[in-house]
Amino acid sequence: MSIYLHDIPLDEAQKSLRQSLEDAGLWKILAVEEIPLDENAAGRVIAEPVWARMSSPHYHASAMDGFALRAEQTAGAMPTSPVILEIGPQAQYVDTGDPLPDWANAVVPIENVESLDFHQRTVDDLRHPDLIRLRAALTPWSHVRPMGEDIVATQLVLPAGQMLRPVDLGAVAASGLTSVKVSKKPRVGVLPTGTELIEVGKPVKRGDIIEYNSIVLAAQVQSWGGDARRYPISADDFGLICMRVQQAADENDLVLLNAGSSAGSEDFSARVVQELGRLLVHGVAVRPGHPVILGLIRRSDGSGVTPIIGVPGYPVSAALTGEIFVEPLLATWQGRQPGRPVEVTAALTRKITSPAGDDDFVRMVAGRVGDRLLAAPLSRGAGVITSLVRADGICVLPRGVQGLEPGAPVRLRLYRPPYELEHTIFAIGSHDMTLDLVAQFLAERDRRLVSANVGSQGGLVALRRGEAHLAGSHLLDPETGDYNLPYLKQYLPDTPVQVVTWVGREQGLLVPRGNPKGIRGLQDLLRADVRYINRQRGAGTRVLFDYHLGKLGIDPTKIQGYSQEEYTHLAVAAAVASGRADCGMAVTASAVALDLDFIPLFQERYDLIIPCEYLHGDLLRPIFDLMGDARFRRAVAAMPGYDLSQMGRVVQSCPD
Amino acid sequence: MSIYLHDIPLDEAQKSLRQSLEDAGLWKILAVEEIPLDENAAGRVIAEPVWARMSSPHYHASAMDGFALRAEQTAGAMPTSPVILEIGPQAQYVDTGDPLPDWANAVVPIENVESLDFHQRTVDDLRHPDLIRLRAALTPWSHVRPMGEDIVATQLVLPAGQMLRPVDLGAVAASGLTSVKVSKKPRVGVLPTGTELIEVGKPVKRGDIIEYNSIVLAAQVQSWGGDARRYPISADDFGLICMRVQQAADENDLVLLNAGSSAGSEDFSARVVQELGRLLVHGVAVRPGHPVILGLIRRSDGSGVTPIIGVPGYPVSAALTGEIFVEPLLATWQGRQPGRPVEVTAALTRKITSPAGDDDFVRMVAGRVGDRLLAAPLSRGAGVITSLVRADGICVLPRGVQGLEPGAPVRLRLYRPPYELEHTIFAIGSHDMTLDLVAQFLAERDRRLVSANVGSQGGLVALRRGEAHLAGSHLLDPETGDYNLPYLKQYLPDTPVQVVTWVGREQGLLVPRGNPKGIRGLQDLLRADVRYINRQRGAGTRVLFDYHLGKLGIDPTKIQGYSQEEYTHLAVAAAVASGRADCGMAVTASAVALDLDFIPLFQERYDLIIPCEYLHGDLLRPIFDLMGDARFRRAVAAMPGYDLSQMGRVVQSCPD
């Protein structure tokens, strides 16, 4: 039996869940508990308004160290005609915070009085003189904190629904309360299912999938104020999953049933929900995340139902399902408003298309280049968890929108503080293995490196469009044998740039350990038993490869795999390491990284191209600092195939 | 002995602390620990860069449920000329996530093939046919997630210094790690001192101060990733405090010594630090917070020093000292960047002055009124913890700035999500006890009420200046006996407004329980033994009071306390309850709130004045909803002295 309801729109799915929870009496604060007022109350959500039980201060308090007195007795005091008061009947020493004597109505600070004892006295002694002299009159209630200055008994201190922050705890204590009523943390059971799954820490073999969705979901739940419990992995066994789901429904307020990533596995989840309760929704028109399941499980003890959310198996879909469905539900159960991420408007760098029927959640990186805040879409693959890790924010393209053109304004819900967007260096261009090191060293210097690997020519185009602060480039000019400079005239005729050499590096062929096919050079690529993996057009490595093919008179169409393109050195290395290809051209370090053999062929120069307008700003300074930083240079030198002798050399400078 | 070093500028104090910690080898990550990769790792800070140990996927994985095959064998397949493949040698069923067989290089999704078995078959059976038919050619690697699509072994997954978010845990697991190296949580001991302090929960008598700074500080430390421990309250006993400080310094990485609020108490703290170690700074030119102490305590075992921060006793100073000195230190010890609050620029509503020598931290509320984001300064008192609770953000007026004029742009570090600022209703005008109820009910409706009590006339001025969405007003016109309308012509000649009646309410004299002075009416205020507490000029209650004084021919200058002004009904009630005055005029509910007797004198009408431009927006809709909400009306009716019969009546409407 296959259950497949049609995908329904997101808002309908949310309404359906809400309606059925309202019907079940579960669309409200689940439970309230009273907890002691201490630091562990921070982060909890107040379930009832906090009204002040007492005033603060709860008496008239001196606001200074000084003498309490009656203001009327200082009338007329002036520098030339001081007033003298007798300690005891007319004035009394008070420390800050001390209660005012009943008869007093003002305080004169100790630094504004003179003691009339003319012996040598210390400041301590000044507190116990017999007479004091004042040379200025006081108004009633000066230097007094009147009762209720901060809080008046019965006033509202905090509204219900507020998440307690550290200072809130102070205000609650000041208003005389010793405990707070907060919503109970909703309990959430997380059940991973799938025969292909293995736990973190177990040995991994081909076909195994490391199960981490449950960790991500549990951590999400805890960050949203819930109490998460992970259950063991269940193989795809209907009876076993039914048993575990029933147990989890009995023990929790919500069950997250994480299916495997296959369509079959999701049908399985739906059948379990039908067996144990009621299936409300099977399939939601969101991307990624289509196969979301919503339902209710009957509790064994007949006490009602527990909602269940069938979470898709792909990690990006799983995490977004948490954000879209779980967070608002936990918010309702805690009596708080759902989280409201900071939003910014940014200009889209690339065209994106979107299925018209779906609410499409597009992950993007964002940063300021010049005076524009830019948003560049990341990989759309639901299996690419790093796209969520790298994302600065998410943009929702609603149903009905089929795509957006470059330059279109997009609204991003931010995953990072806006501060970081303003401290982001966009490096678009050729991939180099040192960029990861740069990212790490910049992170220590309050900068974030966002790099997009589009090849050297792509980087120059990005600079022309004003979409990057710098581009790494290693474009060989076949005519002159020089690097980069001839291309600048072609790609950036109107943009003054500085060209700084970054590294010299070795390019060559990556082959499996032991070079089983005995490959020696480019001529071998014509052999029938050799499959090549290429770089994309516009990549410096591709230019270099094509240049040498031409020099050798090799017809590219005769090379198997010439049309198979990858976008980074490491991706080429991965293709060779996995056996998808027999060889590919890349830098030395990529061979070492994936334990491949390397056949060195050429030396080349990799430069940074920096538009003059960014050269002297604060933003890029750490990049220049790194070129001279001994620890950084050592780290680069430790990578194989790099020549640092030219690092920092200015090949072309900006006009003064 | 009194130690009083001069206040030094904030940046110098910070540098001094940093320099002495660098000298002591304590300006770095304090310690690293390896923790298992599970949901409890969320929120911890990575101490070393995370490099991928394996690729993800770690094999070529099918991206769909379908058949693995060689793309070349589908060449030429078209709707009119299908290709037929034999299961086994030419095609093999794979689920999503399954490894591709070695010989295959593409996957055709199950929905794109036809089974050549013509018997009735279910979808499940379709997975095991003998022959399949394809009507479209495939390119190599289509519907395959190649090894390393997400993560390539050896690449940087996360830079050191990143706080682990839920999705980050997924990426770390996907890259083959089973544990993470994180910085240890810094241990922070919090020591409250002061003979006047009592613990939360103990009975409170006059002069006692409830000790809650240690709760606020401990909660702050925990929210910043530290591990806080509170020590018992120490009385002002030099030996006892020395013993406790030494113990805390031996047991923690940082000691926060919270002094009492008096100057003497702070000298005490400084002497303790001098006794047990080295006093670096005594007094920092920040406001509030001047008497901050920075020092180093020698550890008993000779293993080095523990920094100590002497935190001022006033609660606002204490919390800000945490933000200014403790958070950045904990960040450094965890190897992360300090927190970066969201910042916005807003227009100042009122003039503020600032001591030229101090970095002045001004708490403000903020919200959008019309197209302007406004910031209104809150109470500057260091003892007013509610000013921090109510604050939407803080503005730093640096040394050298002596003040700002109304309208000046100020930069606010936000304490709340910007979303809330856009959902804030500014109500400026006359205070009414129902406003707290409104705040509570609005919080349930995704709105925040920020009210400033400046009196009815002050509210009309605020509307004229475009600084409020609505004003509560109960201004009696002595000539006509009507409320509010005559004043609108005077104060808002050019601003079309809607006037809606909110409540009718009783005004009268508040007197202590039992009315010990036998006050009956306004005539009694002339008695020599009666002290009055007045409302400020412009308040509707003041207008009412003055109107009736005039009618009775009473000379205000003959009333004791006529010049003593308070800004709210509750503040008047507090003055009477504390004995500061014998009576004052206010609404019934304020008497009940503070357990006073009430002598009813007049009935009056309290209206809401709403500029027409805000009338139909989304923002204020919940206010109108409340007027008809049964639960809200019941809550108001339960307060004494309110008449709801006219609630919602439009007294003056907007032009269509």
Side-chain angles (χ1 to χ4, degrees), chain A residues 91-413:
Chain A
Q92 179 185 317
Y93 181 77
V94 283
D95 271 327
T96 308
D98 280 351
L100 225 56
D102 286 339
W103 52 266
N105 70 353
V107 170
V108 57
I110 195 164
E111 54 266 38
N112 296 353
V113 303
E114 301 159 22
S115 161
L116 281 194
D117 187 329
F118 293 100
H119 303 296
Q120 282 289 9
R121 281 171 169 259
T122 65
V123 172
D124 275 359
D125 291 338
L126 187 57
R127 293 173 186 172
H128 313 287
D130 302 322
L131 297 172
I132 53 170
R133 183 156 60 186
L134 287 77
R135 293 185 183 273
L138 292 164
T139 55
W141 305 103
S142 50
H143 306 298
V144 173
R145 295 185 59 215
M147 175 180 151
E149 180 200 44
D150 191 356
I151 298 169
V152 177
T154 76
Q155 83 172 51
L156 180 71
V157 181
L158 297 171
Q162 171 134 350
M163 184 175 290
L164 285 164
R165 304 166 302 171
V167 291
D168 296 332
L169 300 175
V172 175
S175 64
L177 279 83
T178 58
S179 62
V180 269
K181 286 185 178 162
V182 297
S183 51
K184 258 188 132 161
K185 284 171 173 268
R187 288 160 308 167
V188 180
V190 184
L191 269 80
T193 69
T195 306
E196 72 281 13
L197 299 181
I198 57 159
E199 267 171 51
V200 167
K202 292 276 155 55
V204 182
K205 59 181 195 304
R206 201 172 127 99
D208 287 343
I209 294 180
I210 300 171
E211 196 292 294
Y212 57 76
N213 281 344
S214 70
I215 297 176
V216 174
L217 289 166
Q220 282 184 327
V221 163
Q222 301 197 159
S223 75
W224 297 326
D227 190 1
R229 174 171 171 195
R230 289 196 289 138
Y231 288 77
I233 295 167
S234 303
D236 289 325
D237 170 328
F238 188 76
L240 175 66
I241 298 179
C242 280
M243 192 195 77
R244 289 258 171 80
V245 166
Q246 187 63 62
Q247 181 195 348
D250 292 343
E251 294 174 348
N252 295 280
D253 301 310
L254 172 67
V255 177
L256 301 181
L257 179 63
N258 191 208
S261 46
S262 78
S265 168
E266 284 135 11
D267 278 354
F268 218 72
S269 296
R271 289 208 297 272
V272 168
V273 175
Q274 277 213 323
E275 173 76 19
L276 301 178
R278 187 151 67 93
L279 186 66
L280 300 168
V281 171
H282 184 187
V284 180
V286 290
R287 180 185 175 210
H290 271 266
V292 172
I293 290 164
L294 305 174
L296 301 174
I297 304 294
R298 289 180 298 271
R299 295 185 167 219
S300 313
D301 63 1
S303 65
V305 293
T306 300
I308 185 167
I309 299 178
V311 178
Y314 271 131
V316 177
S317 308
L320 287 176
T321 300
E323 292 182 17
I324 297 169
F325 289 98
V326 181
E327 198 276 337
L329 183 53
L330 295 185
T332 298
W333 284 349
Q334 291 168 78
R336 62 171 172 85
Q337 293 292 325
R340 303 295 189 178
V342 179
E343 296 192 358
V344 296
T345 301
L348 191 64
T349 58
R350 282 203 309 279
K351 182 188 168 83
I352 46 178
T353 58
S354 174
D358 290 353
D359 285 307
D360 194 3
F361 289 72
V362 186
R363 287 90 75 198
M364 299 196 184
V365 290
R368 184 170 300 281
V369 179
D371 52 8
R372 292 194 306 161
L373 194 60
L374 299 178
L378 287 162
S379 161
R380 310 290 291 274
V384 181
I385 181 109
T386 49
S387 68
L388 266 180
V389 169
R390 293 175 60 205
D392 296 322
I394 201 149
C395 165
V396 185
L397 298 190
R399 274 183 302 147
V401 173
Q402 301 206 21
L404 291 172
E405 295 299 314
V410 290
R411 195 81 184 146
L412 281 187
R413 299 180 192 165

Side-chain angles (χ1 to χ4, degrees), chain B residues 430-434 455-456 472-477 481-484 487 500-508 535 538-548 568-569 585-590 598 600-608 640-647 649 651:
Chain B
S430 168
H431 178 60
D432 184 72
M433 309 274 297
T434 59
S456 295
S473 180
H474 57 122
L475 288 167
L476 174 67
D477 180 31
D482 194 8
Y483 283 89
N484 298 323
Y487 289 86
V500 183
T501 295
W502 182 248
V503 287
R505 52 183 206 180
E506 220 165 25
Q507 290 263 17
R535 288 293 306 281
T541 302
R542 172 73 168 264
V543 171
L544 188 71
F545 181 64
D546 288 346
Y547 168 70
H548 284 285
T568 69
H569 297 273
M585 197 155 92
V587 295
T588 324
S590 59
F598 183 73
L601 294 176
F602 318 108
Q603 286 283 339
E604 66 167 6
R605 200 179 80 210
Y606 182 98
D607 293 335
L608 301 185
Y642 283 104
D643 168 16
L644 276 80
S645 60
Q646 305 284 307
M647 184 177 263
R649 185 173 71 93
V651 180

Side-chain angles (χ1 to χ4, degrees), chain B residues 136-440:
Chain B
L138 291 164
T139 56
W141 306 102
S142 49
H143 306 298
V144 173
R145 296 185 58 213
M147 176 180 149
E149 182 200 42
D150 191 356
I151 297 168
V152 178
T154 75
Q155 85 173 48
L156 180 71
V157 181
L158 297 171
Q162 171 134 352
M163 185 175 290
L164 285 164
R165 303 165 304 172
V167 292
D168 296 332
L169 301 176
V172 175
S175 63
L177 280 83
T178 59
S179 61
V180 268
K181 286 186 178 162
V182 297
S183 50
K184 260 189 132 159
K185 284 171 173 267
R187 288 161 306 169
V188 180
V190 183
L191 269 81
T193 68
T195 305
E196 73 282 13
L197 300 181
I198 58 159
E199 268 172 51
V200 167
K202 292 273 155 58
V204 181
K205 58 180 197 303
R206 199 174 128 98
D208 288 343
I209 294 179
I210 301 172
E211 197 291 297
Y212 55 77
N213 280 344
S214 70
I215 297 177
V216 174
L217 289 166
Q220 282 185 327
V221 163
Q222 299 196 163
S223 74
W224 297 326
D227 190 0
R229 175 172 171 196
R230 288 196 289 137
Y231 289 75
I233 295 169
S234 302
D236 289 324
D237 169 330
F238 189 76
L240 175 67
I241 298 179
C242 280
M243 192 194 77
R244 289 259 172 80
V245 166
Q246 186 64 61
Q247 181 195 351
D250 291 344
E251 294 173 350
N252 296 280
D253 300 311
L254 172 67
V255 177
L256 301 181
L257 178 63
N258 192 207
S261 46
S262 76
S265 168
E266 284 136 10
D267 278 355
F268 219 72
S269 296
R271 289 208 298 269
V272 169
V273 175
Q274 278 212 323
E275 173 75 20
L276 301 178
R278 187 150 68 92
L279 186 66
L280 300 168
V281 171
H282 185 188
V284 180
V286 290
R287 181 185 172 209
H290 271 266
V292 173
I293 290 163
L294 306 175
L296 301 174
I297 304 293
R298 289 179 299 271
R299 295 187 165 216
S300 313
D301 63 1
S303 66
V305 292
T306 301
I308 185 167
I309 299 178
V311 178
Y314 270 130
V316 177
S317 307
L320 286 176
T321 300
E323 292 182 17
I324 298 170
F325 289 100
V326 181
E327 198 276 338
L329 182 54
L330 295 185
T332 299
W333 284 348
Q334 290 168 80
R336 63 170 171 84
Q337 294 291 325
R340 303 294 188 179
V342 178
E343 296 191 0
V344 296
T345 301
L348 192 64
T349 58
R350 281 204 310 280
K351 181 187 169 81
I352 44 178
T353 57
S354 175
D358 289 353
D359 284 308
D360 193 3
F361 290 72
V362 185
R363 288 89 75 196
M364 298 196 185
V365 290
R368 184 170 301 282
V369 179
D371 52 8
R372 290 196 306 160
L373 193 61
L374 299 177
L378 286 162
S379 160
R380 309 289 291 276
V384 181
I385 180 109
T386 50
S387 68
L388 265 180
V389 169
R390 294 175 59 204
D392 296 321
I394 201 150
C395 165
V396 185
L397 299 190
R399 274 184 301 146
V401 174
Q402 300 207 21
L404 292 172
E405 294 300 315
V410 289
R411 194 83 183 144
L412 280 186
R413 298 180 191 164
L414 292 187
Y415 286 146
R416 291 182 209 280
Y419 176 92
E420 293 189 18
L421 271 51
E422 303 288 336
H423 290 73
T424 294
I425 299 172
F426 266 118
I428 302 185
S430 168
H431 178 60
D432 184 72
M433 309 274 297
T434 59
L435 290 177
D436 275 356
L437 273 182
V438 174
Q440 172 56 40

Side-chain angles (χ1 to χ4, degrees), chain B residues 92-103:
Chain B
Q92 180 186 315
Y93 180 79
V94 283
D95 272 327
T96 308
D98 280 351
L100 224 56
D102 285 341
W103 52 265

